[in-house]
Amino acid sequence: MSRDFLLEIGCEDIPGWMLPEAEASLRELLEKELGARGLLEKEPIQTYSTPRRLVACCARLAVVEPDRTSEVVGPPKSVAFSPDGKPTRAAESFAARQGVSVKALVTVETPKGEYIAAHSRQKGRPARDVLAEIIPGVVRGISFPRTMYWTSPEGLRFIRPIRWLLALFDGKVVRVKLGGLESGNTTRGHRLLSPAAVAVKSLEEYRRRLAKAFVVLDARERQRIIAREAERALKREGLRRRADIAQLEELANLTEHPAIVRGEFSTEFLSLPAEVLITVMRHHQKYIAVEDARGQLAPVFIAVLDLDGDASGEIRRGHETVLAARFRDAHFFWQADQKRSLAERVRLLDQVVFQAQLGSYAKKVNRVVTLTEWIARHLVWPQGRRADIEAAARAALLCKSDLTTEMVGEFPELQGIIGGLYARAQGEPEKVAQAIYEHYQPAAADASCPSTLEAAALALADKLDTIAACFGAGLAPTGSRDPFALRRAGTGVVRIVVEGGAALSLRAAVEQAVSGLVRGGLKVEDPVRLASEVLTFLEERARYVFRELRQHPFDEVNAVFAAGWDDLAEAAARLEAVRRLRPSKDFEPVAAAFKRIRNILEQAGNGQARAAGRANEELLEAGPERELFDRFVELRPRVAALRQAHKYEDALRLIASLRPQVDRFFDKVLVMAPDERVRENRLALLAQVLREFSTVADFSEIVVTPKG
């Protein structure tokens, strides 16, 4: 038997960007607590949020916990009973403590021998009692980037003051006290459109009455409303909203009852770059930018209201006035900034702090220029394309100059972008302007990477310098803390190399970055150790990119990385080869054989013959042992040639063809032979096979699927 459950935490307005994580945290906590008590059935916990509420519900929750049987182990049997089987005082005391008779005690086997134990049956509690017990802890445990404290009997901390608490199970209130409040059966509608309290008796009634009270509970539905209404308002003019999924999510999380207003601005502002206008609208005013059928910015915007509309037009006029003022500011900054070129601004970077322990941006720029030149020289794109070293170095010199401009001071989201636009306006070569414009890319895991070689070289240099410098200053990410966004920078390094298919030794690039820190006068106690720490961090980011973003199975990533990952583009190609070959009939059997080889070698420890690296042919017996060796010798140069030619799938297929010889070897040959010389020689043969044929991917890392 099951009933519906509903929990609503009513608050003062929660910042919209915090809602998705808070929802996920609430769902995870409830699933953990209810699942551990056996109350969750087939229906999942669903969560919703608006700026004023966090909601969790389940259409079918068990009415009562399942009964549980527990076992408590007591003293050893030899202590609890005498040799003739009579209970001792120890048995009687243990039975009394557990509330059972001595006759009910049982004997159990443990790693320490035979012990006595008592079994007790605990009757499941009603779900309502369990919910009353766990809800306060769940609410306190919801994850927020920061919390507030306010006076209450239990000193509750939460993102915002809690104003009401609704908790229902099977139509009746679950009694909970939290933050000086008692739970009830009432919710509240929209703050302005329907502020009265609303009593509900069930999950279905809650949804229905909240909708009538002008609250759209589902954030996805609020997104659809915004998109649909914006399209309706623009369609007859042949215009469309600028695609921006992240902004739709943000706007939906700022409203409970979204409505849109179409506004306009003067065409004179279109003389400013679209990037500036869009930034002002999106980041500062929360407006949706509008474009025509050709993708050109139109002098129109969409504002999203948390109201029922703007019949009088007063709200629209207010938004238009505010936006015009912001655009006039941007226009002024653009003109004022042009009075000094980016090249002239380089010396001003002495006054801009990169990080207190790491000095000014001027020092960083000096390091980045040198590192960019090195990367541009060593970065080889497919078909042998190389970067323009002079253009890349010029871009590196100017890339941070926009930090001294009034435009970036007012709109920091435009860092890099403004530098690129100013460089173009001031007559710098297009390669230089584009590299500056794109050098912060990719700004997110799903954002675009730099589009030119010069931009890629500069972006890599800037990110590697930041990572190495912060690690050197003891500012590496810890847990969920990453104030300098080093994980994002590391992910960016990996993506730029992998998605560009570029040949680059990451180890060499990191060593260059660390050397730049030393040459720049920063204190680095152990450069070798610092480079190793940065490489370990980048390896972790590379594994994240391949597993989470490119969806490669973890064992395939492990197999390829075991064969080397310094050249990430090459590692990506080897991963694709493993993915394509894995369905073949010989792949997993060979993987199982290689895993067996590794296990045998690990158990055998280090031997002299294996240390020498080669098996002695004179000690090989005719039959399966000799056949394996001969086939290995035949394949070895062919596999090496294929790997050298980057034909990784062909190389792996050739290695997999060794399966018959490996199978017969293990069927017919005793590896751990009594004769020490023979035993060591067979181990040496296996070590050779494993070592020589693990240069594309280490088959022994593959998880073999059990058959049958």
Side-chain angles (χ1 to χ4, degrees), residues 226-227 230-231 234 239-249 251 273-283 287-293 295-298 300-302 414 417 437 448:
I226 294 169
E231 180 181 353
L234 299 170
L239 302 176
R240 64 194 181 199
R241 65 180 178 85
R242 186 172 178 272
D244 191 335
I245 294 174
Q247 185 184 27
L248 264 186
E249 293 173 353
L251 292 171
E275 295 91 338
V276 174
L277 301 177
I278 290 169
T279 296
V280 172
M281 287 189 280
R282 189 196 192 288
H283 293 283
Y287 298 160
I288 298 173
V290 174
E291 59 189 22
D292 61 24
Q296 299 298 309
L297 197 64
V300 175
F301 67 91
I302 297 292
L414 289 171
I417 293 172
Y437 186 94
S448 299

Side-chain angles (χ1 to χ4, degrees), residues 6 38 119 195 205 234 310 324 344 395 582:
L6 171 63
H119 290 161
E205 185 181 20
L234 299 170
D310 178 32
E344 292 173 314
R582 188 162 192 167

Side-chain angles (χ1 to χ4, degrees), residues 281-588:
M281 287 189 280
R282 189 196 192 288
H283 293 283
H284 291 260
Q285 300 305 125
K286 310 299 182 187
Y287 298 160
I288 298 173
V290 174
E291 59 189 22
D292 61 24
R294 298 171 301 163
Q296 299 298 309
L297 197 64
V300 175
F301 67 91
I302 297 292
V304 177
L305 312 178
D306 194 12
L307 287 170
D308 203 24
D310 178 32
S312 68
E314 185 176 349
I315 296 175
R316 172 184 57 79
R317 289 190 291 273
H319 282 301
E320 289 176 340
T321 299
V322 171
L323 184 60
R326 297 293 284 175
F327 281 169
R328 279 193 291 272
D329 288 344
H331 189 266
F332 170 80
F333 297 146
W334 178 274
Q335 291 184 319
D337 287 340
Q338 299 308 318
K339 296 175 182 177
R340 182 177 285 169
S341 70
L342 292 179
E344 292 173 314
R345 291 179 178 276
V346 171
R347 59 185 176 82
L348 301 180
L349 291 173
D350 274 323
Q351 314 303 318
V352 184
V353 176
F354 169 48
Q355 199 278 332
Q357 296 172 251
L358 300 172
S360 69
Y361 266 101
K363 292 183 177 179
K364 177 177 174 62
V365 163
N366 288 337
R367 298 193 303 269
V368 170
V369 168
T370 303
L371 186 55
T372 299
E373 288 178 329
W374 186 92
I375 291 175
R377 190 173 293 113
H378 291 83
L379 191 68
V380 181
W381 235 250
Q383 289 82 49
R385 291 188 300 136
R386 292 181 179 272
D388 182 330
I389 297 173
E390 290 186 6
R394 177 67 175 175
L397 177 67
L398 304 178
C399 69
K400 303 300 179 183
S401 292
D402 64 358
L403 296 176
T404 68
T405 65
E406 293 193 56
M407 185 73 83
V408 170
E410 183 69 16
F411 306 117
E413 300 87 357
L414 289 171
Q415 291 178 47
I417 293 172
I418 278 296
L421 294 173
Y422 282 1
R424 189 172 290 123
Q426 293 167 10
E428 293 287 344
E430 181 57 28
K431 287 182 179 180
V432 173
Q434 192 69 20
I436 297 171
Y437 186 94
E438 296 183 348
H439 84 278
Y440 283 106
Q441 294 180 0
D446 58 349
S448 299
C449 287
S451 63
T452 70
L453 299 178
E454 296 75 25
L458 174 53
L460 286 170
D462 185 37
K463 290 171 174 57
L464 287 173
D465 175 80
T466 296
I467 294 168
C470 288
F471 267 73
L475 302 172
T478 56
S480 61
R481 286 186 54 78
D482 186 13
F484 294 93
L486 300 185
R487 292 190 183 98
R488 184 175 68 192
T491 299
V493 168
V494 175
R495 286 190 56 210
I496 291 169
V497 175
V498 171
E499 294 178 23
L504 179 72
S505 168
L506 207 56
R507 176 177 295 278
V510 168
E511 289 172 351
Q512 285 293 318
V514 172
S515 296
L517 296 177
V518 175
R519 289 194 304 271
L522 292 177
K523 184 179 180 182
V524 178
E525 294 181 1
D526 188 342
V528 174
R529 179 181 174 185
L530 175 57
S532 176
E533 290 175 352
V534 172
L535 281 167
T536 299
F537 170 73
L538 290 174
E539 180 183 1
E540 182 271 324
R541 299 320 297 162
R543 289 178 180 274
Y544 164 79
V545 168
F546 286 124
R547 288 196 306 257
E548 303 301 328
L549 303 185
R550 298 173 75 89
Q551 298 296 299
H552 286 281
F554 78 95
D555 60 335
E556 294 178 11
V557 175
N558 291 345
V560 166
F561 273 49
W565 64 276
D566 183 47
D567 185 334
L568 287 172
E570 187 215 35
R574 288 187 280 121
L575 258 172
E576 288 299 327
V578 171
R579 172 183 274 175
R580 289 192 295 269
L581 191 67
R582 188 162 192 167
S584 65
K585 64 182 180 66
D586 287 334
F587 185 88
E588 288 206 349

Side-chain angles (χ1 to χ4, degrees), residues 207-235:
R207 297 179 194 272
R208 188 175 65 254
R209 298 202 66 180
L210 210 54
K212 288 184 178 180
F214 299 94
V215 175
V216 180
L217 190 60
D218 191 336
R220 290 167 299 184
E221 178 60 23
R222 298 197 297 273
Q223 289 179 40
R224 286 191 286 269
I225 291 171
I226 294 169
R228 183 180 66 242
E229 295 304 310
E231 180 181 353
R232 186 175 297 168
L234 299 170
K235 189 174 182 179

